[in-house]
Amino acid sequence: MVFQLTPGTECPAEMNFYFPELRTLCMAENSTHTLHNILSLRGAQVRDAHVWSTYLTEAIRTFGAHTEVEFASHHWPRWGQDNIIEFLSNQRDMYAYLNDQTLRLIDQGFTGIEIAEKLQHLPPGLAEHWYNRGYYGSLSHNFKAVYQRYIGWFDGNPAHLWNLPPTQAGAKYVQAMGGPAEVVRIAQRAYDAEPPEYRWVVELLNHVIFASGGTGDGPEVPADVLRSAKQLQAKAMTQLGYGAENGTWRNFYLTGAEELRTGPQKPTSHGASDLVKSMSLEQFFTAMAKSIDGPKAATEQRSSIVLRWVLTGTGQECTTTLRNGVLIYVEGQDTLAGKPQATISLTRAALDQLALSGIQFKKNFDTAVTNGDIQVDDQAAAETVFGYLTFPDPVFPIVTPRVL
């Protein structure tokens, strides 16, 4: 096998590989029968469309003349050297087009949203190939992603530098437009227009729905008006979902509509024991650090709390220090942090069980200490740190305001 490393394309450590005896090339997820994501809507780091296209050129030059079969990790194969080179070349051109045209329009002062509206179609030579269609990635969110990679979230307009959060903005917009009932009437007219203005309906009603978050900045949204707003926005999102060629857009629209009708979706799975067991100590405590309630810890604990962790059976040791609302991890002993307030000795299995405890972390730690599975010489110091842990909300709302 011959490997082609392609970091920064579909994922940070992606690679293609070639089987010389079979004259077969696997393009991983770098070249598939769809436009891929430069930024996944589920959330990820922005990928590099320029690097992506460059590695496709390298793959063509390295393997093209020797390849008779090509396939991708999640897609079916293609046969024939000329067919494969044409396919890879068109995919390469597509990712280069996304990158280069975004930069061209950035230089002319266009924002990400404006670029996505201006370039709604690929050139005919690319658009005529169905494997360049936006079934997974879309031109719209990929152009915005390239903009985000180079420019970031701020488009230079100071009106967008310090926006009000959705609940406050919603309340003020609704008040300015004549109250919630009037906004719903405007949205209904847009829904009934020919052609229907579903995007505008969704944007208008978003203000009404978030105005119901109870900030006190605008008029109260009566229950019957809020119900009408949710029903109408759900209908508009459903139509946008039905009309979307892109699968992830359809899923987001239909999921949003479902939340408006029935509330946030419940989680379908819990825990990830295999993942936890494979984590290094640094990864474990990095995950713990991002769960610390920083403002609360910084206010209540003006002095550092140093914990020494010893994994019995493996000889591993590390130090964590809670200071300024941040949990700092150091491998081994941190001689600069000061004397540890507590030493915690436990097996890796016991640490894994704590990681899987979720909201029961502190309770399970106490139980493990009582049972002798964990030894700690100052339980109060350890529990003070654990008292600042927060845990994910598996049913947080997306298209409706959070209940505070």
Side-chain angles (χ1 to χ4, degrees):
M1 293 172 62
V2 179
F3 291 89
Q4 179 200 10
L5 299 181
T6 61
T9 53
E10 189 276 332
C11 72
E14 186 66 280
M15 67 182 72
N16 303 324
F17 46 95
Y18 177 71
F19 302 89
E21 293 183 2
L22 302 174
R23 298 179 67 84
T24 297
L25 174 64
C26 175
M27 290 301 295
E29 289 194 62
N30 287 326
S31 191
T32 59
H33 295 97
T34 180
L35 169 60
H36 214 300
N37 291 300
I38 303 303
L39 174 61
S40 297
L41 295 182
R42 56 173 163 74
Q45 293 182 334
V46 181
R47 295 152 181 168
D48 190 332
H50 172 69
V51 164
W52 200 322
S53 68
T54 299
Y55 278 123
L56 286 175
T57 295
E58 183 179 273
I60 294 165
R61 290 173 58 84
T62 304
F63 306 116
H66 314 289
T67 299
E68 295 295 338
V69 181
E70 179 274 339
F71 68 97
S73 301
H74 301 296
H75 282 247
W76 51 94
R78 301 183 75 84
W79 290 270
Q81 183 182 107
D82 292 343
N83 183 32
I84 290 166
I85 291 175
E86 180 189 32
F87 168 65
L88 295 177
S89 298
N90 285 330
Q91 290 256 298
R92 182 267 318 275
D93 296 350
M94 175 177 62
Y95 292 115
Y97 186 86
L98 286 169
N99 182 82
D100 297 347
Q101 295 311 304
T102 303
L103 291 177
R104 178 179 69 85
L105 292 176
I106 285 173
D107 287 344
Q108 294 180 17
F110 290 92
T111 68
I113 292 174
E114 291 169 335
I115 293 168
E117 287 295 300
K118 189 175 182 65
L119 300 176
Q120 295 190 32
H121 306 283
L122 288 171
L126 296 176
E128 66 188 11
H129 300 287
W130 61 266
Y131 51 70
N132 285 342
R133 300 292 299 182
Y135 305 123
Y136 187 37
S138 77
L139 288 177
S140 179
H141 74 253
N142 277 344
F143 279 124
K144 294 170 189 172
V146 176
Y147 183 94
Q148 179 179 326
R149 179 177 180 84
Y150 289 106
I151 302 298
W153 62 268
F154 181 48
D155 62 7
N157 183 345
H160 304 150
L161 185 58
W162 194 20
N163 295 91
L164 292 170
T167 51
Q168 290 178 249
K172 292 182 181 296
Y173 272 112
V174 167
Q175 185 175 36
M177 288 187 284
E182 178 60 23
V183 178
V184 173
R185 281 193 288 271
I186 295 170
Q188 184 66 63
R189 288 200 296 271
Y191 185 90
D192 294 334
E194 192 58 49
E197 300 178 79
Y198 297 132
R199 293 167 68 186
W200 179 231
V201 172
V202 167
E203 186 168 339
L204 276 174
L205 295 176
N206 190 62
H207 290 309
V208 177
I209 291 166
F210 276 86
S212 69
T215 64
D217 293 320
E220 182 178 349
V221 181
D224 61 325
V225 175
L226 178 60
R227 185 166 53 252
S228 296
K230 287 183 175 181
Q231 290 172 346
L232 184 55
Q233 192 185 49
K235 288 171 63 178
M237 285 187 178
T238 299
Q239 292 304 313
L240 287 168
Y242 288 165
E245 179 180 61
N246 183 275
T248 53
W249 281 40
R250 180 169 60 252
N251 293 344
F252 271 96
Y253 279 128
L254 297 182
T255 300
E258 184 66 14
E259 180 183 320
L260 289 163
R261 296 183 178 109
T262 64
Q265 291 189 352
K266 302 298 186 293
T268 57
S269 63
H270 300 276
S273 58
D274 289 345
L275 176 63
V276 168
K277 291 175 182 177
S278 67
M279 292 170 66
S280 66
L281 282 181
E282 183 176 7
Q283 290 171 327
F284 175 88
F285 288 106
T286 296
M288 180 181 285
K290 65 91 178 171
S291 300
I292 293 290
D293 185 336
K296 183 179 180 182
T299 300
E300 296 180 357
Q301 296 299 323
R302 304 304 296 272
S303 299
S304 301
I305 301 178
V306 182
L307 302 179
R308 176 178 173 233
W309 297 77
V310 178
L311 265 64
T312 58
T314 68
Q316 291 177 286
E317 181 177 335
C318 66
T319 305
T320 60
T321 303
L322 180 68
R323 49 173 290 153
N324 296 321
V326 178
L327 188 71
I328 300 298
Y329 164 88
V330 173
E331 183 179 358
Q333 296 185 28
D334 187 355
T335 57
L336 300 179
K339 182 181 179 181
Q341 278 91 329
T343 296
I344 302 170
S345 300
L346 72 172
T347 63
R348 177 60 202 237
L351 185 69
D352 292 342
Q353 286 302 311
L354 286 178
L356 294 167
S357 297
I359 199 169
Q360 301 296 322
F361 186 102
K362 189 174 179 182
K363 178 182 177 182
N364 288 1
F365 178 83
D366 293 343
T367 300
V369 170
T370 300
N371 294 340
D373 297 324
I374 296 177
Q375 291 77 46
V376 56
D377 54 9
D378 187 340
Q379 191 167 343
E383 289 190 349
T384 298
V385 174
F386 302 153
Y388 295 115
L389 292 175
T390 61
F391 300 94
D393 177 2
V395 290
F396 60 83
I398 296 175
V399 298
T400 54
R402 179 180 293 278
V403 178
L404 300 177

